[in-house]
Each structure stands twice: as structure tokens, then as C-alpha cells.
Amino acid sequence: QVQLVESGGGSVQAGGTLRLSCAVSGHRSQYDCVGWFRQAPGKGREGVATISTGSTGRGRTLYSNPVKGRFTISQDSAKNTVDLQMDNLKPEDSGMYVCAAGRATTLYPGPICEWNYWGQGTQVTVS
């Protein structure tokens, strides 16, 4: 069983930065990609960023258009975390941020995954 625990959320002013962390536990054979999603009140869940974590094509990333150039997803293999560095935050970035782990169906041009495991989320508020 894979478990994910998010941390690092909070409140920040527009233009500020936050760094979210997703701690992943469980055998690495059960997943080969990790992603971040967000959901604002009254809106559906949207994908933010994905990174491939398996031995094949490790480190490949994919970003949604609204965050491209402002957010960076990275993997810390030693700590077994996947971090989301969020710069130049905007009020529309507010929401519950959740990380997920799953299996990649393709890695090119970026990882597209089927998600099997989800965390509980961490709140981000930008004012």
C-alpha cells in the first residue's frame, strides 16, 4: 500500500512563494509517477504537475498551462518526497493541493498517469 502525506501549505500574498512536499511511503514498484492536483471551492479538481519517478524516464515532467514557468516539481529520492516549488503565486492558485501516485501510461512528451493512491491535501491561500 502506498501512502502520501502533504505538507507546506499556508497563506501567502500574491507574488509570494510556497514549497509543498509530498512524502511517499510504500514500495516503489507500486508506482512510477507522482503528481500534484488542486481544487478550489466550487470547482473541479485540476492537474498541476506530474513527474515520472520510475527507473525508466525518471524525472520527466508535465505542467498545466496556468502554472507553467511558475511552478517546479522535483523528486528527492533520498527523502522519498516529491516537492512542488510555487513562485509568483496568484490568487487563482488558491485551493486544496493534493498529491497522488500511480502508473504512467506514457512518458512522452511528458508523463500521463493513471492515479491509484491519493493524499489528504494541504491548503494554499493566496490573497
Side-chain angles (χ1 to χ4, degrees), residues 25-106:
S25 61
H27 205 285
R28 293 184 182 182
S29 65
Q30 295 178 291
Y31 64 96
D32 57 14
C33 54
V34 176
W36 281 96
F37 296 78
R38 68 186 181 189
Q39 186 166 15
K43 295 187 177 181
R45 184 174 61 202
E46 64 170 327
V48 174
T50 301
I51 187 167
S52 56
T53 59
S55 56
T56 301
R58 177 174 295 175
R60 298 194 65 83
T61 59
L62 188 66
Y63 297 92
S64 66
N65 286 335
V67 308
K68 201 172 293 184
R70 299 187 298 121
F71 290 13
T72 303
I73 189 170
S74 61
Q75 178 186 18
D76 187 328
S77 297
K79 296 180 180 179
N80 215 23
T81 61
V82 171
D83 296 339
L84 185 68
Q85 176 68 36
M86 305 188 295
D87 299 324
N88 190 22
L89 282 160
K90 304 176 181 181
E92 52 264 41
D93 294 319
S94 297
M96 180 66 74
Y97 281 68
V98 180
C99 64
R103 291 286 190 187
T105 57
T106 183

Side-chain angles (χ1 to χ4, degrees), residues 1-16:
Q1 184 73 9
V2 177
Q3 293 183 325
L4 305 102
V5 179
E6 303 91 339
S7 62
S11 296
V12 65
Q13 290 187 336

